[in-house]
Amino acid sequence: MADNSTQASATASAATDSAAAAAGSTTDAIRDAGERMRDTFQSGMAEPAKRATEAMRATGEKMAQGGSTLGLKMLDQAEQNAQAGFAAMRQAAQAKDVSDVMKIQGDFMREYSSRSMAQAREIGELIVQFGRDAVAPMRGQ
């Protein structure tokens, strides 16, 4: 009988060891699957989302910088135009006769037209560059 109980004890111990080994390998398999899922999520979802967020932030910064630059450029141009206008008015006030006033006014209008075209071209170029700079981070550049 002692022999049977030793044999039963050995069988029970072997069964327990076998169950523990199976549980351990199942736990390892579950842990490995979890790690693969986490890695897949990181590379497939989290990293692209992080890159998109960073690109959007960079685009927002570029838009703010571009808007500020554009606003300052327009203020500079308005100041130039006002100064040119006042200079022409001073000249007209000092004119000797109406023909001098007409010449001053004609010169001012030619210069104003030329300056306005140059300023419009400059603003247009700034807007185009501003657009390129704003979308560059979204394109991954």
Side-chain angles (χ1 to χ4, degrees), residues 9-41:
S9 176
T11 302
S13 179
T16 302
D17 290 345
S18 176
S25 68
T26 301
T27 301
D28 291 343
I30 291 171
R31 184 177 325 119
D32 290 344
E35 288 173 2
R36 283 193 306 272
M37 286 174 52
R38 184 189 68 233
D39 292 345
T40 300
F41 176 79

Side-chain angles (χ1 to χ4, degrees), residues 5-91:
S5 80
T6 304
Q7 188 177 13
S9 176
T11 302
S13 179
T16 302
D17 290 345
S18 176
S25 68
T26 301
T27 301
D28 291 343
I30 291 171
R31 184 177 325 119
D32 290 344
E35 288 173 2
R36 283 193 306 272
M37 286 174 52
R38 184 189 68 233
D39 292 345
T40 300
F41 176 79
Q42 282 292 103
S43 64
M45 299 283 285
E47 286 302 316
K50 182 179 177 183
R51 284 192 303 272
T53 301
E54 289 170 357
M56 287 175 24
R57 180 191 50 76
T59 295
E61 288 175 359
K62 291 289 184 181
M63 289 174 65
Q65 290 171 355
S68 177
T69 300
L70 188 61
L72 289 173
K73 180 54 71 177
M74 291 172 73
L75 284 172
D76 288 344
Q77 291 177 350
E79 183 179 5
Q80 290 172 358
N81 292 338
Q83 288 174 350
F86 283 117
M89 284 191 283
R90 278 191 199 93
Q91 288 176 345

Side-chain angles (χ1 to χ4, degrees), residues 77 113-123 125:
Q77 291 177 350
S113 177
S114 176
R115 188 174 51 253
S116 291
M117 292 299 292
Q119 289 172 344
R121 191 175 18 248
E122 189 176 14
I123 292 296
E125 290 170 0

